[in-house]
Amino acid sequence: SHVAESLLERGDDVVIVDNMNDYYDVRIKESNLALLREKYGDKRVSVFVGDICDAELMEQVFEFMRPEWVCHMAARAGVRPSINDPFIYIQANIKGTTTLLELSHKYGVKNFVFASSSSVYGGSKSTYFSEEESVDHPVSPYAASKKACELLAYTYHHLYKLNIS
C-alpha cells in the first residue's frame, strides 16, 4: 500500500490485484485498501480480488485497464512455510510472474518493476548484498522461486526488450 500511495501521490492511477491470502492479516490489507479508496477515490484506485495465476482474470484486467507500467510485488511469501509446501510457492511465484510478464509483453507495457527478495542470497556471509554477488545457491523453495522469477524477467527483456527494473 506504500507503493500504491506513492504512485497516487505523484498523479498515477493504480490497479491492485490481490488474492487476499491469509499469510498477512487480511483485515489490515482490507483496511489499507479502504484508506486508499477513501483518500483517492474508486476512479483512481481499482482493486481486483483474485489470483495473478488466473490467466483469464489477468487477461481481462490487462484488456480493461490497459496498464502502461507494472509493479509486480505479488508473491507467496515465507521461507519456512515454503519448505513444508513448496508446490504452492512454485505455482504462485513462478506461474504468477510468468503470467504478468507474458501479458506485459502482449499489451506493450513500458516498464515492468519486479520485487525480488533478499532470500535469493541464500546462505551468503556478506554483510551487504550486491547485485554482482552469486545467488545460485538458494536455501528454500521460496528463494528458488524468486530467483527463477528474476531469470524469467531477464528472459523477457532479452527476447522482447521488455524494460525490467
Side-chain angles (χ1 to χ4, degrees), residues 43-113:
K43 289 187 178 173
R44 298 210 40 225
V45 180
S46 300
V47 178
F48 295 86
V49 176
D51 192 333
I52 62 169
C53 293
D54 181 344
E56 186 176 317
L57 168 68
M58 295 312 302
E59 178 85 38
Q60 291 172 359
V61 170
F62 272 73
E63 180 67 32
F64 182 68
M65 302 306 298
R66 296 289 175 157
E68 295 182 64
W69 303 276
V70 170
C71 181
H72 172 29
M73 300 177 69
R76 183 70 179 196
V79 171
R80 285 192 179 97
S82 77
I83 295 167
N84 295 328
D85 187 4
F87 296 104
I88 194 167
Y89 288 80
I90 301 307
Q91 168 79 8
N93 297 347
I94 297 174
K95 182 179 180 187
T97 297
T98 304
T99 299
L100 292 177
L101 286 165
E102 188 62 27
L103 289 168
S104 293
H105 161 60
K106 178 178 177 178
Y107 284 88
V109 165
K110 294 177 183 176
N111 196 45
F112 186 98
V113 177

Coordinates of all heavy atoms in Angstrom, one line a residue, residues 43-113:
K43 N -12.1 5.9 -8.8 CA -11.7 6.1 -10.2 C -10.2 6.0 -10.4 O -9.7 5.7 -11.4 CB -12.2 7.5 -10.7 CG -13.7 7.5 -11.0 CD -14.2 8.8 -11.6 CE -15.7 8.6 -11.9 NZ -16.3 9.8 -12.3
R44 N -9.5 6.3 -9.3 CA -8.0 6.3 -9.3 C -7.4 5.0 -8.7 O -6.3 4.7 -9.0 CB -7.5 7.5 -8.6 CG -7.9 8.8 -9.2 CD -7.0 9.9 -9.1 NE -5.6 9.6 -9.2 CZ -4.7 10.1 -8.4 NH1 -5.0 10.9 -7.4 NH2 -3.4 9.8 -8.6
V45 N -8.2 4.3 -7.9 CA -7.8 3.1 -7.3 C -8.7 1.9 -7.7 O -9.9 1.9 -7.2 CB -7.7 3.2 -5.7 CG1 -7.3 1.9 -5.1 CG2 -6.9 4.4 -5.3
S46 N -8.2 1.0 -8.6 CA -9.0 -0.1 -9.0 C -8.5 -1.4 -8.3 O -7.3 -1.6 -8.3 CB -9.0 -0.3 -10.5 OG -9.4 0.9 -11.1
V47 N -9.4 -2.1 -7.6 CA -8.9 -3.3 -6.9 C -9.7 -4.5 -7.5 O -10.9 -4.5 -7.6 CB -9.2 -3.1 -5.4 CG1 -8.8 -4.4 -4.6 CG2 -8.5 -1.9 -4.8
F48 N -8.9 -5.5 -7.8 CA -9.4 -6.8 -8.2 C -9.0 -7.9 -7.2 O -7.8 -8.0 -7.0 CB -8.9 -7.2 -9.6 CG -9.3 -6.2 -10.7 CD1 -8.6 -5.0 -10.9 CD2 -10.5 -6.5 -11.4 CE1 -9.0 -4.2 -11.9 CE2 -10.9 -5.6 -12.4 CZ -10.2 -4.4 -12.7
V49 N -9.9 -8.5 -6.6 CA -9.6 -9.6 -5.7 C -9.5 -10.9 -6.5 O -10.5 -11.3 -7.1 CB -10.6 -9.8 -4.6 CG1 -10.3 -11.0 -3.7 CG2 -10.7 -8.5 -3.7
G50 N -8.3 -11.4 -6.7 CA -8.1 -12.6 -7.5 C -6.6 -13.0 -7.5 O -5.8 -12.3 -7.0
D51 N -6.4 -14.0 -8.2 CA -5.0 -14.6 -8.2 C -4.3 -14.3 -9.5 O -4.9 -14.5 -10.6 CB -5.2 -16.2 -8.1 CG -3.9 -16.9 -7.9 OD1 -2.8 -16.4 -8.2 OD2 -4.0 -18.0 -7.3
I52 N -3.1 -13.8 -9.5 CA -2.4 -13.5 -10.7 C -2.0 -14.7 -11.5 O -1.6 -14.6 -12.7 CB -1.1 -12.7 -10.4 CG1 -0.1 -13.5 -9.6 CG2 -1.4 -11.3 -9.8 CD1 1.3 -12.9 -9.5
C53 N -2.2 -15.9 -11.0 CA -2.1 -17.1 -11.7 C -3.3 -17.4 -12.6 O -3.2 -18.3 -13.5 CB -1.8 -18.3 -10.8 SG -0.3 -18.2 -9.9
D54 N -4.4 -16.7 -12.4 CA -5.6 -16.9 -13.1 C -5.4 -16.1 -14.4 O -5.7 -14.9 -14.5 CB -6.8 -16.4 -12.3 CG -8.1 -16.6 -13.0 OD1 -8.1 -16.8 -14.2 OD2 -9.1 -16.5 -12.3
A55 N -5.0 -16.8 -15.5 CA -4.6 -16.2 -16.7 C -5.9 -15.5 -17.3 O -5.7 -14.4 -17.9 CB -4.1 -17.2 -17.7
E56 N -7.0 -16.1 -17.2 CA -8.3 -15.5 -17.8 C -8.6 -14.1 -17.1 O -8.9 -13.1 -17.7 CB -9.4 -16.4 -17.7 CG -10.7 -16.0 -18.3 CD -11.8 -17.0 -18.3 OE1 -11.5 -18.2 -18.5 OE2 -12.9 -16.6 -18.0
L57 N -8.5 -14.2 -15.7 CA -8.7 -12.9 -15.0 C -7.7 -11.9 -15.3 O -8.1 -10.7 -15.6 CB -8.7 -13.2 -13.5 CG -8.6 -11.9 -12.6 CD1 -9.9 -11.2 -12.6 CD2 -8.3 -12.3 -11.2
M58 N -6.5 -12.2 -15.4 CA -5.4 -11.3 -15.7 C -5.5 -10.7 -17.1 O -5.3 -9.5 -17.3 CB -4.0 -11.8 -15.4 CG -3.8 -12.2 -13.9 SD -4.3 -10.9 -12.7 CE -3.2 -9.5 -13.3
E59 N -5.9 -11.5 -18.0 CA -6.1 -11.1 -19.4 C -7.2 -10.0 -19.4 O -7.1 -9.0 -20.0 CB -6.5 -12.2 -20.3 CG -6.8 -11.8 -21.7 CD -5.6 -11.7 -22.6 OE1 -4.7 -12.5 -22.5 OE2 -5.6 -10.8 -23.5
Q60 N -8.3 -10.2 -18.6 CA -9.4 -9.3 -18.5 C -8.9 -8.0 -17.9 O -9.3 -6.9 -18.3 CB -10.6 -9.9 -17.7 CG -11.3 -11.0 -18.5 CD -12.3 -11.7 -17.6 OE1 -12.5 -11.4 -16.4 NE2 -13.0 -12.7 -18.1
V61 N -8.1 -8.1 -16.8 CA -7.6 -6.9 -16.2 C -6.7 -6.1 -17.1 O -6.9 -4.9 -17.3 CB -6.8 -7.3 -14.9 CG1 -6.0 -6.1 -14.4 CG2 -7.7 -7.9 -13.8
F62 N -5.8 -6.7 -17.9 CA -5.0 -6.0 -18.8 C -5.8 -5.4 -20.0 O -5.6 -4.3 -20.4 CB -3.9 -7.0 -19.4 CG -2.6 -7.0 -18.5 CD1 -2.6 -7.6 -17.3 CD2 -1.5 -6.4 -19.0 CE1 -1.5 -7.6 -16.5 CE2 -0.3 -6.4 -18.2 CZ -0.3 -7.0 -17.0
E63 N -6.8 -6.2 -20.4 CA -7.6 -5.7 -21.6 C -8.4 -4.5 -21.1 O -8.5 -3.5 -21.9 CB -8.5 -6.8 -22.0 CG -9.4 -6.5 -23.2 CD -8.7 -6.2 -24.5 OE1 -7.7 -6.8 -24.7 OE2 -9.2 -5.3 -25.3
F64 N -9.0 -4.6 -20.0 CA -9.9 -3.5 -19.5 C -9.1 -2.3 -19.0 O -9.4 -1.1 -19.3 CB -10.8 -4.0 -18.4 CG -11.8 -3.0 -17.8 CD1 -12.8 -2.5 -18.6 CD2 -11.6 -2.6 -16.5 CE1 -13.7 -1.6 -18.1 CE2 -12.5 -1.6 -16.0 CZ -13.5 -1.1 -16.8
M65 N -8.0 -2.5 -18.2 CA -7.3 -1.4 -17.6 C -6.1 -0.9 -18.4 O -5.7 0.3 -18.2 CB -6.7 -1.9 -16.2 CG -7.8 -2.4 -15.2 SD -9.2 -1.2 -14.9 CE -8.4 0.2 -14.2
R66 N -5.6 -1.7 -19.3 CA -4.5 -1.2 -20.2 C -3.4 -0.5 -19.4 O -3.0 0.6 -19.7 CB -5.0 -0.3 -21.3 CG -6.0 -0.9 -22.3 CD -5.3 -1.9 -23.1 NE -6.2 -2.6 -24.0 CZ -5.9 -3.2 -25.1 NH1 -4.7 -3.1 -25.6 NH2 -6.8 -3.8 -25.8
P67 N -2.7 -1.3 -18.5 CA -1.7 -0.6 -17.7 C -0.4 -0.3 -18.6 O -0.1 -1.0 -19.5 CB -1.3 -1.7 -16.7 CG -1.7 -3.0 -17.4 CD -2.9 -2.7 -18.2
E68 N 0.2 0.9 -18.3 CA 1.4 1.2 -19.0 C 2.6 0.7 -18.3 O 3.7 0.5 -18.9 CB 1.5 2.8 -19.2 CG 0.4 3.3 -20.1 CD 0.5 4.8 -20.2 OE1 1.5 5.3 -20.7 OE2 -0.4 5.5 -19.7
W69 N 2.5 0.6 -17.0 CA 3.6 0.1 -16.1 C 3.0 -0.9 -15.2 O 1.9 -0.9 -14.8 CB 4.1 1.3 -15.3 CG 4.6 2.4 -16.1 CD1 5.8 2.5 -16.7 CD2 3.9 3.6 -16.4 NE1 5.9 3.7 -17.4 CE2 4.7 4.4 -17.2 CE3 2.6 4.1 -16.1 CZ2 4.4 5.7 -17.7 CZ3 2.2 5.3 -16.6 CH2 3.1 6.1 -17.4
V70 N 3.9 -1.9 -14.9 CA 3.5 -2.9 -13.9 C 4.5 -2.9 -12.8 O 5.7 -3.0 -13.1 CB 3.4 -4.3 -14.6 CG1 3.3 -5.4 -13.5 CG2 2.3 -4.4 -15.6
C71 N 4.1 -2.9 -11.6 CA 4.9 -3.0 -10.4 C 4.5 -4.3 -9.7 O 3.5 -4.4 -9.1 CB 4.8 -1.8 -9.5 SG 5.8 -1.9 -8.0
H72 N 5.3 -5.3 -10.0 CA 4.9 -6.7 -9.5 C 5.5 -7.0 -8.2 O 6.6 -7.3 -8.0 CB 5.4 -7.7 -10.6 CG 5.2 -9.1 -10.2 ND1 4.3 -9.6 -9.3 CD2 6.0 -10.2 -10.5 CE1 4.4 -10.9 -9.2 NE2 5.4 -11.3 -9.9
M73 N 4.6 -6.9 -7.2 CA 5.0 -7.2 -5.8 C 4.3 -8.4 -5.2 O 4.5 -8.7 -4.1 CB 4.8 -5.9 -4.9 CG 5.5 -4.7 -5.4 SD 5.2 -3.3 -4.4 CE 6.0 -3.7 -2.9
A74 N 3.5 -9.0 -6.0 CA 2.7 -10.2 -5.6 C 3.6 -11.4 -5.5 O 4.5 -11.6 -6.3 CB 1.6 -10.5 -6.6
A75 N 3.5 -12.1 -4.4 CA 4.2 -13.3 -4.2 C 3.6 -14.1 -3.0 O 3.0 -13.5 -2.1 CB 5.7 -13.0 -3.9
R76 N 3.8 -15.4 -3.1 CA 3.5 -16.2 -1.9 C 4.8 -16.0 -1.0 O 5.9 -16.4 -1.4 CB 3.3 -17.6 -2.3 CG 2.9 -18.5 -1.1 CD 1.5 -18.2 -0.7 NE 1.1 -19.0 0.4 CZ -0.1 -19.2 0.8 NH1 -1.1 -18.5 0.2 NH2 -0.4 -19.9 1.8
A77 N 4.6 -15.4 0.1 CA 5.8 -15.1 1.0 C 6.0 -16.2 2.0 O 5.1 -17.0 2.3 CB 5.6 -13.8 1.7
G78 N 7.2 -16.2 2.6 CA 7.5 -17.1 3.7 C 8.5 -18.2 3.4 O 8.3 -19.1 2.6
V79 N 9.7 -18.1 4.0 CA 10.8 -19.1 3.8 C 10.4 -20.4 4.4 O 10.4 -21.4 3.7 CB 12.1 -18.5 4.3 CG1 13.2 -19.6 4.3 CG2 12.6 -17.3 3.5
R80 N 10.1 -20.4 5.7 CA 9.8 -21.6 6.4 C 8.6 -22.4 5.8 O 8.7 -23.6 5.6 CB 9.7 -21.4 7.9 CG 11.0 -21.2 8.5 CD 10.9 -21.2 10.1 NE 12.2 -21.0 10.6 CZ 12.7 -19.9 11.1 NH1 11.9 -18.8 11.0 NH2 13.9 -19.8 11.6
P81 N 7.5 -21.7 5.6 CA 6.3 -22.4 5.0 C 6.6 -23.0 3.7 O 6.0 -24.0 3.3 CB 5.2 -21.3 4.9 CG 5.6 -20.3 5.9 CD 7.1 -20.3 6.0
S82 N 7.5 -22.4 2.9 CA 7.8 -23.0 1.6 C 8.5 -24.3 1.7 O 8.4 -25.1 0.7 CB 8.7 -22.0 0.8 OG 10.0 -22.0 1.2
I83 N 9.1 -24.6 2.8 CA 9.8 -25.9 2.9 C 8.7 -27.0 3.1 O 8.9 -28.1 2.6 CB 10.8 -25.8 4.1 CG1 11.9 -24.9 3.7 CG2 11.3 -27.2 4.5 CD1 12.8 -24.5 4.9
N84 N 7.7 -26.6 3.8 CA 6.6 -27.6 4.1 C 5.7 -27.8 2.9 O 5.1 -28.9 2.7 CB 5.7 -27.1 5.3 CG 6.6 -27.2 6.6 OD1 7.5 -28.0 6.7 ND2 6.3 -26.2 7.5
D85 N 5.5 -26.8 2.1 CA 4.6 -26.8 0.9 C 5.2 -26.1 -0.3 O 4.7 -25.0 -0.6 CB 3.2 -26.3 1.3 CG 2.2 -26.5 0.2 OD1 2.5 -27.2 -0.8 OD2 1.1 -26.0 0.3
P86 N 6.2 -26.7 -0.9 CA 6.9 -26.0 -2.0 C 6.0 -25.7 -3.2 O 6.2 -24.8 -3.9 CB 8.1 -26.9 -2.3 CG 7.7 -28.2 -1.9 CD 6.8 -28.0 -0.7
F87 N 5.1 -26.6 -3.5 CA 4.3 -26.5 -4.7 C 3.5 -25.2 -4.8 O 3.4 -24.6 -5.8 CB 3.3 -27.7 -4.8 CG 4.1 -29.0 -5.0 CD1 4.2 -29.9 -3.9 CD2 4.7 -29.3 -6.1 CE1 4.9 -31.0 -4.0 CE2 5.5 -30.5 -6.3 CZ 5.6 -31.4 -5.2
I88 N 2.9 -24.7 -3.7 CA 2.2 -23.5 -3.7 C 3.1 -22.3 -4.0 O 2.7 -21.4 -4.7 CB 1.4 -23.3 -2.4 CG1 0.3 -22.2 -2.6 CG2 2.3 -22.9 -1.2 CD1 -0.7 -22.1 -1.5
Y89 N 4.3 -22.4 -3.6 CA 5.3 -21.3 -3.9 C 5.7 -21.3 -5.4 O 5.8 -20.2 -6.0 CB 6.5 -21.4 -3.0 CG 6.1 -21.0 -1.6 CD1 5.5 -21.9 -0.7 CD2 6.3 -19.7 -1.1 CE1 5.0 -21.5 0.5 CE2 5.9 -19.3 0.1 CZ 5.3 -20.2 0.9 OH 4.9 -19.8 2.2
I90 N 5.9 -22.5 -5.9 CA 6.3 -22.6 -7.3 C 5.1 -22.1 -8.2 O 5.3 -21.3 -9.1 CB 6.6 -24.1 -7.7 CG1 7.8 -24.6 -6.9 CG2 6.9 -24.2 -9.2 CD1 9.0 -23.7 -6.9
Q91 N 3.9 -22.5 -7.8 CA 2.7 -22.1 -8.5 C 2.5 -20.6 -8.5 O 2.4 -19.9 -9.5 CB 1.5 -22.8 -8.0 CG 0.1 -22.3 -8.4 CD -0.3 -22.7 -9.8 OE1 0.3 -23.6 -10.4 NE2 -1.4 -22.2 -10.3
A92 N 2.4 -20.1 -7.3 CA 2.1 -18.7 -7.1 C 3.2 -17.7 -7.6 O 2.9 -16.8 -8.3 CB 1.9 -18.4 -5.6
N93 N 4.4 -18.0 -7.3 CA 5.5 -17.1 -7.7 C 5.9 -17.3 -9.1 O 6.0 -16.3 -9.8 CB 6.7 -17.3 -6.7 CG 6.3 -16.9 -5.3 OD1 5.2 -16.3 -5.1 ND2 7.1 -17.3 -4.3
I94 N 6.2 -18.5 -9.6 CA 6.7 -18.6 -10.9 C 5.6 -18.5 -12.0 O 5.7 -17.8 -12.9 CB 7.5 -20.0 -11.1 CG1 8.7 -19.9 -10.1 CG2 7.9 -20.2 -12.5 CD1 9.5 -21.2 -10.1
K95 N 4.5 -19.2 -11.8 CA 3.4 -19.1 -12.7 C 2.8 -17.7 -12.7 O 2.5 -17.1 -13.8 CB 2.3 -20.1 -12.5 CG 1.2 -20.1 -13.5 CD 0.1 -21.1 -13.2 CE -1.0 -21.0 -14.3 NZ -2.1 -21.9 -14.0
G96 N 2.6 -17.1 -11.6 CA 2.1 -15.8 -11.5 C 3.0 -14.7 -12.2 O 2.5 -13.9 -12.9
T97 N 4.3 -14.8 -11.9 CA 5.2 -13.9 -12.6 C 5.2 -14.1 -14.1 O 5.2 -13.1 -14.9 CB 6.6 -14.1 -12.0 OG1 6.6 -13.7 -10.6 CG2 7.6 -13.2 -12.7
T98 N 5.2 -15.3 -14.5 CA 5.2 -15.6 -16.0 C 3.9 -15.0 -16.6 O 3.9 -14.5 -17.7 CB 5.3 -17.1 -16.2 OG1 6.5 -17.6 -15.6 CG2 5.4 -17.4 -17.7
T99 N 2.8 -15.2 -16.0 CA 1.5 -14.6 -16.5 C 1.6 -13.1 -16.6 O 1.3 -12.6 -17.7 CB 0.4 -15.0 -15.5 OG1 0.2 -16.4 -15.4 CG2 -1.0 -14.4 -16.0
L100 N 2.2 -12.4 -15.6 CA 2.3 -11.0 -15.7 C 3.3 -10.6 -16.8 O 3.1 -9.6 -17.5 CB 2.7 -10.4 -14.4 CG 1.7 -10.5 -13.3 CD1 2.2 -10.0 -12.0 CD2 0.4 -9.8 -13.7
L101 N 4.4 -11.3 -16.9 CA 5.4 -11.0 -17.9 C 4.8 -11.1 -19.3 O 5.0 -10.3 -20.2 CB 6.7 -11.8 -17.8 CG 7.6 -11.5 -16.6 CD1 8.6 -12.6 -16.3 CD2 8.3 -10.2 -16.9
E102 N 4.1 -12.2 -19.5 CA 3.6 -12.5 -20.8 C 2.5 -11.5 -21.2 O 2.5 -11.0 -22.3 CB 2.9 -13.9 -20.8 CG 2.5 -14.4 -22.2 CD 3.6 -14.6 -23.2 OE1 4.7 -14.8 -22.8 OE2 3.3 -14.4 -24.4
L103 N 1.7 -11.1 -20.3 CA 0.7 -10.1 -20.6 C 1.3 -8.7 -20.7 O 0.9 -7.9 -21.6 CB -0.4 -10.0 -19.5 CG -1.3 -11.2 -19.5 CD1 -2.2 -11.3 -18.2 CD2 -2.2 -11.2 -20.7
S104 N 2.4 -8.4 -20.0 CA 3.1 -7.1 -20.1 C 3.7 -7.0 -21.5 O 3.6 -6.0 -22.2 CB 4.2 -7.0 -19.1 OG 3.6 -6.9 -17.8
H105 N 4.2 -8.1 -22.0 CA 4.8 -8.1 -23.4 C 3.6 -8.0 -24.4 O 3.7 -7.1 -25.3 CB 5.5 -9.5 -23.6 CG 5.7 -9.8 -25.0 ND1 6.4 -9.0 -25.9 CD2 5.3 -10.9 -25.8 CE1 6.4 -9.6 -27.1 NE2 5.7 -10.7 -27.1
K106 N 2.6 -8.7 -24.2 CA 1.5 -8.7 -25.2 C 0.8 -7.3 -25.3 O 0.4 -6.9 -26.4 CB 0.4 -9.7 -24.7 CG -0.8 -9.8 -25.6 CD -1.8 -10.9 -25.2 CE -3.1 -10.9 -26.0 NZ -4.0 -11.9 -25.6
Y107 N 0.7 -6.6 -24.1 CA 0.0 -5.4 -24.1 C 0.9 -4.2 -24.1 O 0.5 -3.0 -24.0 CB -0.9 -5.3 -22.9 CG -2.2 -6.1 -23.0 CD1 -2.2 -7.4 -22.7 CD2 -3.3 -5.5 -23.6 CE1 -3.4 -8.2 -22.9 CE2 -4.5 -6.3 -23.8 CZ -4.5 -7.6 -23.4 OH -5.6 -8.4 -23.6
G108 N 2.2 -4.4 -24.4 CA 3.1 -3.3 -24.6 C 3.4 -2.4 -23.4 O 3.6 -1.2 -23.5
V109 N 3.5 -3.1 -22.3 CA 3.8 -2.3 -21.0 C 5.2 -1.6 -21.2 O 6.1 -2.2 -21.7 CB 3.8 -3.3 -19.8 CG1 4.5 -2.7 -18.6 CG2 2.4 -3.7 -19.5
K110 N 5.3 -0.4 -20.7 CA 6.5 0.4 -20.9 C 7.6 -0.1 -19.9 O 8.8 0.0 -20.3 CB 6.2 1.9 -20.7 CG 5.3 2.5 -21.8 CD 5.1 3.9 -21.4 CE 4.1 4.5 -22.5 NZ 3.7 5.9 -22.1
N111 N 7.2 -0.5 -18.7 CA 8.2 -0.9 -17.7 C 7.6 -1.9 -16.8 O 6.5 -1.7 -16.3 CB 8.8 0.3 -17.0 CG 10.1 0.0 -16.3 OD1 11.0 -0.7 -16.8 ND2 10.2 0.4 -15.0
F112 N 8.4 -2.9 -16.5 CA 7.9 -3.9 -15.5 C 8.9 -3.9 -14.3 O 10.1 -4.2 -14.5 CB 8.0 -5.3 -16.3 CG 7.4 -6.4 -15.5 CD1 6.1 -6.9 -15.7 CD2 8.2 -7.1 -14.5 CE1 5.6 -8.0 -15.0 CE2 7.7 -8.2 -13.8 CZ 6.4 -8.6 -14.0
V113 N 8.4 -3.5 -13.2 CA 9.2 -3.5 -12.0 C 8.9 -4.8 -11.2 O 7.7 -5.1 -10.9 CB 8.8 -2.3 -11.1 CG1 9.6 -2.3 -9.8 CG2 9.1 -1.0 -11.9

